[in-house]
Structures are given as C-alpha cells and as structure tokens.
Amino acid sequence: MKKAIVLGGSNGIGLSLSLPLVNRGYQVIVLDRQKPDTAVSGNLNIEYRPFDLMDIDRKLLTDLAEDSDVSVLC
C-alpha cells in the first residue's frame, strides 16, 4: 500500500492535507505531538506516531526514510 507522511497532521492544515490523501488510497502516517482530531478524521486510514520537533526521534525518521512504500511527504 502506498504511504504518505504528514508532519503536523493532527489538526488544521495538516489534517486537511491528510484527508484527500486517504481518499486517494494512501495510508497516511501523521507525525505530531497530539493525536489527530477523531471528530474530523473518524476511522479513516490514518496512523498516528508521536513526534516532537524539539526532541526528534531519529530512528523513526530513518525507518520511514527506508520504507519503500512512502511516496509522499507533506
């Protein structure tokens, strides 16, 4: 399955970018400090991974960079 990474995708513009990607068949992985707003995202194919730009998880970034299914970064 094709994957998209959305940095800061839990709400606002980031979440607005995530929804069309889900509708196009992407598994969206949201990197953010808080979980996505379920009132907006519902039970869509959005996976949340905790991520803080002030304390970068380099292993997570390396794992995502090596994932050949990731084709979009927002």
Side-chain angles (χ1 to χ4, degrees), residues 23-57:
N23 291 334
R24 291 185 177 147
Y26 284 87
Q27 174 189 0
V28 175
I29 301 169
V30 167
L31 305 180
D32 206 327
R33 293 187 311 176
Q34 60 187 1
K35 291 185 177 182
D37 182 353
T38 55
V40 177
S41 65
N43 291 327
L44 297 174
N45 197 16
I46 296 177
E47 179 182 337
Y48 167 72
R49 304 248 185 117
F51 191 79
D52 186 346
L53 288 173
M54 299 301 290
D55 185 21
I56 294 177
D57 181 347

Side-chain angles (χ1 to χ4, degrees), residues 1 5 16 18 39-40 48 54 60 65 68 71:
M1 171 177 269
I5 308 298
S16 295
S18 299
V40 177
Y48 167 72
M54 299 301 290
L60 173 60
S68 61
S71 58

